[in-house]
Amino acid sequence: MSLNEFKDVLISSKKYWLIYLVLIIVLGLSTITYRSVLDPTYEIYIFLIVAVLGILCIVYYFMHNSDKELYKVAFVIILCFGICASFIVPICDVSDETEHLARVELTSRGIIIPHWTGEDLGVDRAYNVSVGHKPVVYNKGAGFVSIEALNDLTVSLGRTVFHTPYDSIKIDYTPTIIVSAFEQNPFYGYLPQAIGMDIAKLLDLNVIWMLWLGRIFNLIFYAGLISLAIRRTPVLKMPILAVSCIPISIYQAASLSIDSMIIGLAILAIAYFLSLYKAEKNSLGVKEVVVFSALCLILGLCKLPYLAFIFFLLLIPFDNFEKGKKIIPYMILCIALVGIMGVMWSRYSEPALMHSWRSRLRYLDPTGQMNYVLSHPGFIGNFFAQIFTYNIAKILYGMFNFFGAAQRVHYADSYHLVVATLLLFLAVMLLAYPKKVKFDKKTRLGTLLIVLMIYVGTCFIQLLTWASVGKLNLGLSARYFVPLFALFPVIGTFRIGQLERFKDNIDKYAMVFIIAFMAVMILSFATKYY
């Protein structure tokens, strides 16, 4: 496109990027802290950066304003604001990022299954916990062999690059023991991050680039998954993009966390299901069943409750499959195999929790918790009451509430105006967005059941592996459930006539809001950390 053509699009889209600027000014001001008022220099620079980036992204959208090209826009906007997040978020400040960092480093050296050295010492847990209030004792030497550079980054936990020397110090390859490395997670959840870290090592960059390039390559892979999902799905492109770009999604994508892989794969699985659901009659075969099953398996091994996505196979209209093909036996076989492999993986992964810092928690007792549940029938009622009231409210507020490793209270953000605006936007996009497809009752009820299975299953796993015995401190996070929001339009929506008539305009305004929320996230990091 020529400069004149770009200028024309810039002028014709003026109304939309002016709205964007008003949004980020109003919402951005709501994130201001006392420290920011005293010295706003850095915040002003960041505002100028996201203002220009947002305008360019809006112009790019208007240059590719069609369903066929929306996947290009998705890739570009995720990269633009995700890269900003990769650099601005302090060192290992994302939830459990130090442990993800350790697993990435192991993967970068080709270690697929981490070796826990505690087995060589004859112990079965990293920390010994005695009865009463006696000190927790670390089994010295129990952990994973990594490199000293990881300790350099861990020491700087929660600090910005301006408050650490490791942006000018080379990588230290001295072998050292790292206590935790997410042994229970599959290796492929860390391949993109490992590639980035390998490049930092290969180019002999400074220590900080192990973190930064790992984050950026994780982000690139996430952007690729979402772009592929938007391209694949024949319907609900904009609602799926909205869920993929909410601040908590981009925050995880721009980190070393495996949650980026989970969200990306889940969104892709939803898009693939929608493509099968809307496929032409007699056009599907065994191949599609196998591909979808494989996608559900690699997703589910990253987070076991998402194995329930395999049941979407039963919601695909049978008329869509080739005549004469007995597809049901293949479906049942795939569902059985995915289920069996999930059970086998859980038997491997559950004991690995004791090979980490979690073994020092006195309250971590899955067996004791299960015995308590079985002997106190009323407790399970309290569990369901809490997860469908208090925990749902906490999850919704967590859409714009970010972990802070160096904070006394890790989730302490209170951006009420941003949260309210974001939830209102999501309500419109997920519950009232005009859609060209109608889902039958079986599909809507089946999808609701799958969502409940994943939600309740995740909560129950947290009850067993995190909560104190007899307590309901589940430690739930919004990031666990992000993909489920993309299924709300399938379950059911409200039809509003005015919105139905103005779908094209709704998409334009939706894109402005999507970009604005990502920009405000970057602004909130500037006011929070700098």
Side-chain angles (χ1 to χ4, degrees):
M1 175 176 279
S2 68
L3 185 60
N4 285 335
E5 290 174 318
F6 175 83
K7 181 181 176 182
D8 290 340
V9 177
L10 179 67
I11 294 172
S12 64
S13 62
K14 179 175 66 174
K15 177 178 74 172
Y16 297 96
W17 55 258
L18 285 175
I19 292 173
Y20 166 76
L21 291 177
V22 171
L23 275 173
I24 64 172
I25 290 172
V26 174
L27 297 179
L29 285 174
S30 72
T31 72
I32 292 293
T33 63
Y34 179 69
R35 183 177 55 187
S36 304
V37 174
L38 293 178
D39 184 11
T41 305
Y42 186 82
E43 287 79 358
I44 291 172
Y45 286 144
I46 295 299
F47 175 82
L48 292 175
I49 290 172
V50 297
V52 173
L53 266 183
I55 292 172
L56 291 176
C57 286
I58 290 170
V59 171
Y60 185 78
Y61 167 69
F62 277 91
M63 290 163 56
H64 301 83
N65 184 15
S66 71
D67 281 352
K68 289 184 178 180
E69 293 195 293
L70 186 61
Y71 74 95
K72 298 178 183 178
V73 180
F75 189 81
V76 169
I77 64 174
I78 290 173
L79 277 190
C80 284
F81 291 95
I83 288 175
C84 290
S86 298
F87 287 116
I88 199 172
V89 173
I91 296 171
C92 296
D93 203 64
V94 180
S95 182
D96 295 321
E97 197 168 20
T98 53
E99 194 171 358
H100 291 300
L101 173 70
R103 185 58 190 273
V104 171
E105 199 285 319
L106 295 176
T107 307
S108 72
R109 288 188 280 124
I111 299 173
I112 294 176
I113 301 176
H115 173 67
W116 187 63
T117 60
E119 295 173 352
D120 307 332
L121 303 174
V123 297
D124 61 357
R125 53 192 296 149
Y127 291 86
N128 287 324
V129 180
S130 56
V131 178
H133 298 285
K134 294 181 180 180
V136 174
V137 179
Y138 169 58
N139 289 313
K140 191 174 181 180
F144 304 88
V145 179
S146 186
I147 59 176
E148 186 62 32
L150 266 63
N151 285 328
D152 293 339
L153 291 171
T154 303
V155 166
S156 302
L157 183 68
R159 298 180 187 174
T160 70
V161 69
F162 302 119
H163 298 95
T164 176
Y166 297 108
D167 59 326
S168 58
I169 294 177
K170 294 297 181 182
I171 299 170
D172 186 346
Y173 292 95
T174 304
T176 190
I177 294 292
I178 301 295
V179 175
S180 301
F182 272 122
E183 177 190 358
Q184 69 270 25
N185 289 340
F187 75 95
Y188 54 81
Y190 296 96
L191 284 176
Q193 306 93 305
I195 292 172
M197 187 176 287
D198 265 334
I199 291 174
K201 292 177 178 179
L202 183 65
L203 298 178
D204 193 29
L205 301 177
N206 296 328
V207 177
I208 193 69
W209 286 99
M210 293 175 62
L211 175 72
W212 283 346
L213 285 181
R215 285 177 171 179
I216 290 171
F217 272 75
N218 198 25
L219 174 73
I220 292 171
F221 189 77
Y222 177 80
L225 287 175
I226 300 305
S227 180
L228 182 60
I230 299 297
R231 187 174 188 177
R232 178 80 193 192
T233 182
V235 294
L236 302 178
K237 290 179 182 286
M238 193 59 78
I240 288 176
L241 178 60
V243 171
S244 304
C245 291
I246 56 176
I248 195 66
S249 300
I250 301 302
Y251 178 67
Q252 294 300 139
S255 75
L256 297 178
S257 176
I258 196 175
D259 290 318
S260 170
M261 179 76 73
I262 296 168
I263 297 171
L265 287 175
I267 294 295
L268 180 59
I270 292 169
Y272 197 83
F273 161 69
L274 292 173
S275 72
L276 299 182
Y277 186 87
K278 286 292 294 177
E280 295 181 1
K281 295 187 184 302
N282 306 318
S283 64
L284 305 179
V286 175
K287 182 186 77 172
E288 286 77 15
V289 172
V290 172
V291 170
F292 183 74
S293 301
L295 184 56
C296 292
L297 179 62
I298 61 174
L299 164 63
L301 295 185
C302 293
K303 198 163 191 67
L304 287 173
Y306 280 92
L307 287 170
F309 268 28
I310 190 65
F311 293 114
F312 276 119
L313 282 176
L314 302 178
L315 304 182
I316 302 169
F318 290 122
D319 289 346
N320 291 3
F321 292 95
E322 296 175 7
K323 286 185 178 180
K325 289 258 182 153
K326 295 183 178 179
I327 203 68
I328 294 180
Y330 290 103
M331 287 184 175
I332 294 174
L333 177 62
C334 286
I335 292 171
L337 288 175
V338 168
I340 291 169
M341 295 181 75
V343 170
M344 292 173 61
W345 185 260
S346 68
R347 292 176 65 88
Y348 158 76
S349 62
E350 193 271 333
L353 293 173
M354 293 297 103
H355 300 168
S356 71
W357 62 269
R358 295 164 186 81
S359 62
R360 74 187 180 201
L361 303 176
R362 295 181 185 277
Y363 57 76
L364 190 60
D365 184 4
T367 302
Q369 185 74 289
M370 194 65 204
N371 290 335
Y372 185 89
V373 170
L374 294 175
S375 59
H376 295 78
F379 180 75
I380 201 69
N382 294 334
F383 166 76
F384 277 102
Q386 177 173 303
I387 67 173
F388 284 107
T389 53
Y390 168 76
N391 287 130
I392 286 181
K394 187 177 180 182
I395 289 165
L396 291 176
Y397 194 79
M399 294 295 185
F400 204 89
N401 192 288
F402 308 104
F403 187 85
Q407 294 174 247
R408 185 177 62 84
V409 179
H410 293 315
Y411 291 96
D413 302 330
S414 297
Y415 303 124
H416 302 303
L417 179 61
V418 182
V419 171
T421 308
L422 175 60
L423 292 181
L424 180 61
F425 168 72
L426 287 176
V428 172
M429 291 303 297
L430 302 179
L431 301 179
Y433 181 81
K435 56 187 183 183
K436 299 177 181 178
V437 59
K438 290 185 178 181
F439 298 96
D440 56 43
K441 187 175 181 180
K442 174 186 133 181
T443 302
R444 289 187 282 112
L445 290 177
T447 301
L448 176 61
L449 182 59
I450 291 169
V451 167
L452 291 174
M453 288 171 63
I454 295 171
Y455 178 65
V456 175
T458 302
C459 294
F460 193 73
I461 288 173
Q462 289 295 109
L463 179 69
L464 296 181
T465 61
W466 185 256
S468 312
V469 174
K471 303 294 182 181
L472 290 170
N473 52 311
L474 303 181
L476 295 175
S477 174
R479 69 183 189 273
Y480 299 160
F481 308 107
V482 166
L484 300 185
F485 287 89
L487 292 170
F488 283 14
V490 179
I491 296 170
T493 57
F494 300 102
R495 184 170 182 178
I496 301 176
Q498 294 294 328
L499 295 181
E500 295 283 345
R501 290 199 297 269
F502 299 106
K503 180 185 178 301
D504 290 341
N505 282 332
I506 289 172
D507 284 352
K508 294 172 184 175
Y509 287 114
M511 182 59 64
V512 171
F513 274 85
I514 288 170
I515 295 171
F517 287 122
M518 290 191 289
V520 173
M521 176 186 69
I522 303 302
L523 288 172
S524 73
F525 294 153
T527 59
K528 177 179 178 178
Y529 296 115
Y530 295 85

